């Protein structure tokens, strides 16, 4: 069973940067893509970004140019560098096994997520 452990969230101000990280089980590293989804209060979970083993990436339009996804298979991690954060980025961020296009999660369960809160 694929396991995810997300970390690095916190409270930041608008315009700040934050890097969140996810440790994934070895089984997940064999999948095509790893990435991030997020869920804001009262909203459905949405895809943010995905990176394939080949290095190809996908970003939802709202984060293009601000967020960068990366993975390190040797370390078993997938990171999301978030720059120029906006209040609308406030959400719980979840690691996922993914593919694109369109961006979709392939895992059937989720980790605990990491909360990112952006104050205006």
């Amino acid at each position: 069973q694929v396991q995810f452990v997300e970390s690095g969230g916190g409270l930041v101000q608008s315009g700040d940067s934050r890097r969140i990280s996810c440790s994934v089980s070895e089984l997940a590293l064999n999948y095509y893509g790893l990435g991030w989804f997020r869920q804001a209060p009262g909203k459905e979970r949405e895809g943010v970004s995905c990176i394939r083993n080949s290095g190809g990436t996908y970003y939802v339009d709202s984060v293009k140019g601000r967020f960068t996804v990366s993975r390190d298979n040797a370390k078993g991690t997938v990171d999301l560098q978030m720059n120029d954060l906006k209040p609308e980025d406030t959400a719980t961020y979840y690691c996922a096994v993914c593919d694109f296009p369109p961006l979709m999660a392939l895992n059937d369960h989720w980790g605990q997520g990491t909360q990112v809160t952006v104050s205006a």
Side-chain angles (χ1 to χ4, degrees), residues 6-114:
E6 300 93 343
S7 63
L11 174 63
V12 298
Q13 294 185 333
S14 183
D16 282 354
S17 297
R18 193 80 176 188
R19 188 178 187 90
I20 57 177
S21 184
C22 176
S23 294
V24 302
S25 57
E26 187 174 353
L27 179 62
L29 298 175
N30 296 326
Y31 282 87
Y32 196 51
L34 293 172
W36 293 89
F37 283 64
R38 66 186 179 185
Q39 187 168 21
K43 295 187 177 181
E44 293 190 356
R45 195 167 354 226
E46 66 167 352
V48 176
S49 183
C50 185
I51 181 169
R52 292 173 171 159
N53 263 318
S54 63
T57 57
Y58 178 96
Y59 297 93
V60 68
D61 286 346
S62 60
V63 307
K64 283 181 181 177
R66 300 188 298 121
F67 289 13
T68 303
V69 63
S70 60
R71 64 189 287 171
D72 187 330
N73 285 2
K75 294 181 179 179
T77 58
V78 54
D79 292 354
L80 187 67
Q81 175 66 41
M82 305 180 290
N83 298 329
D84 189 23
L85 282 161
K86 306 177 186 299
E88 51 264 42
D89 295 318
T90 295
T92 301
Y93 284 73
Y94 298 90
C95 195
V97 176
C98 52
D99 201 4
F100 59 92
L103 180 54
M104 64 184 75
L106 304 178
N107 43 292
D108 57 5
H109 70 279
W110 300 87
Q112 84 287 351
T114 188

